[in-house]
Amino acid sequence: MDYIIGISGGSGSGKTSFLNALTKHFESKDVSFISMDNYYHPRETQKIDGNGVRNFDLPESINVDELIEDIQSLRAGNDVIKQEYVFNNSEAVAQQIIIKPAKVYIVEGLFIYHYTALKNLFDLKLFIHAKDSLKLIRRIKRDRVERNYPLDDVIYRYEKHVLPSYEKYIEAYIDDVDLIINNNESYDQALELIKVFIGSKM
């Protein structure tokens, strides 16, 4: 019997860092990691705001049906092959991602608790929390390096897209989770706890 863990939180809260830290401690045959970031609809189909800027921070920007189908396919014993989503970074080269069936699945993403059909798949729901000022700093560092966004664009998106979306579609589900992980300074204690817990499920 497999076990599915969800990890959500605002942009810049540290979800991906937490996930990457977990990957170092488990083999792919035991734990498979699935990022909602690789299930965005094509860039040209994303909603455009009143100033002509594409908004990736809406639940409908995600192909949630495909994500659910892939989770079910993995649970049935099939490999899933995805193409890395690189947003609009012209300098990035998309990598092929192969996700294999495992004993434990960890699904990370902004809107994983917004969709009831997806939320109901999780046996354990985690939420990584951080102060807004820290999330903005982390977002600036990430988007300028990984997504090749200019600073003005990063700040605009954070103010107009990221924060409103967080309040409406992400933070709204914080009372539904099993564990809130504070990442204002460090998530090390929580990481050790989750590592031990995952080990108990294998």
Side-chain angles (χ1 to χ4, degrees):
M1 189 70 177
D2 55 35
Y3 195 86
I4 305 180
I5 300 172
I7 300 178
S8 187
S11 178
S13 62
K15 298 184 303 302
T16 302
S17 295
F18 190 85
L19 191 71
N20 289 339
L22 282 175
T23 63
K24 298 176 181 178
H25 297 278
F26 299 100
E27 297 182 28
S28 59
K29 66 181 179 62
D30 294 321
V31 182
S32 276
F33 301 88
I34 306 162
S35 175
M36 182 176 261
D37 274 3
N38 293 313
Y39 288 85
Y40 277 92
H41 288 293
R43 180 180 180 276
E44 59 272 14
T45 68
Q46 298 292 342
K47 185 175 180 180
I48 297 176
D49 69 14
N51 292 313
V53 179
R54 296 187 187 278
N55 189 352
F56 293 90
D57 289 277
L58 294 170
E60 56 265 35
S61 65
I62 299 289
N63 189 339
V64 70
D65 291 335
E66 183 179 356
L67 173 55
I68 293 173
E69 288 173 4
D70 282 354
I71 293 173
Q72 300 291 23
S73 183
L74 286 164
R75 302 181 81 181
N78 304 307
D79 289 357
V80 167
I81 300 176
K82 295 291 299 177
Q83 196 76 4
E84 180 187 19
Y85 196 90
V86 295
F87 294 85
N88 67 341
N89 188 352
S90 59
E91 298 179 2
V93 178
Q95 304 294 315
Q96 186 182 74
I97 299 168
I98 301 175
I99 309 170
K100 292 186 170 293
K103 300 170 185 176
V104 176
Y105 298 100
I106 301 179
V107 184
E108 171 268 327
L110 294 172
F111 308 115
I112 60 172
Y113 303 142
H114 177 72
Y115 291 100
T116 302
L118 180 58
K119 184 171 72 170
N120 288 343
L121 294 177
F122 299 125
D123 299 295
L124 178 68
K125 298 186 289 294
L126 308 179
F127 190 100
I128 300 184
H129 183 270
K131 294 186 293 187
D132 288 341
S133 57
L134 286 175
K135 289 189 291 185
L136 175 57
I137 291 169
R138 292 167 183 165
R139 171 98 180 192
I140 289 172
K141 291 179 178 178
R142 183 200 70 186
D143 282 3
R144 293 196 69 187
V145 174
E146 296 180 14
R147 299 181 182 173
N148 201 30
Y149 289 167
L151 178 59
D152 288 348
D153 187 65
V154 176
I155 294 174
Y156 174 88
R157 289 175 186 273
Y158 194 84
E159 179 184 3
K160 302 297 184 181
H161 299 171
V162 176
L163 275 181
S165 179
Y166 174 73
E167 293 169 355
K168 187 174 182 179
Y169 303 114
I170 303 169
E171 188 180 38
Y173 300 98
I174 197 169
D175 291 334
D176 296 338
V177 305
D178 300 300
L179 178 66
I180 299 171
I181 299 170
N182 190 308
N183 189 29
N184 286 327
E185 294 183 4
S186 170
Y187 51 57
D188 290 348
Q189 286 187 327
L191 179 65
E192 292 303 314
L193 174 66
I194 299 303
K195 282 162 51 180
V196 172
F197 181 79
I198 291 173
S200 74
K201 294 301 176 182
M202 298 190 298

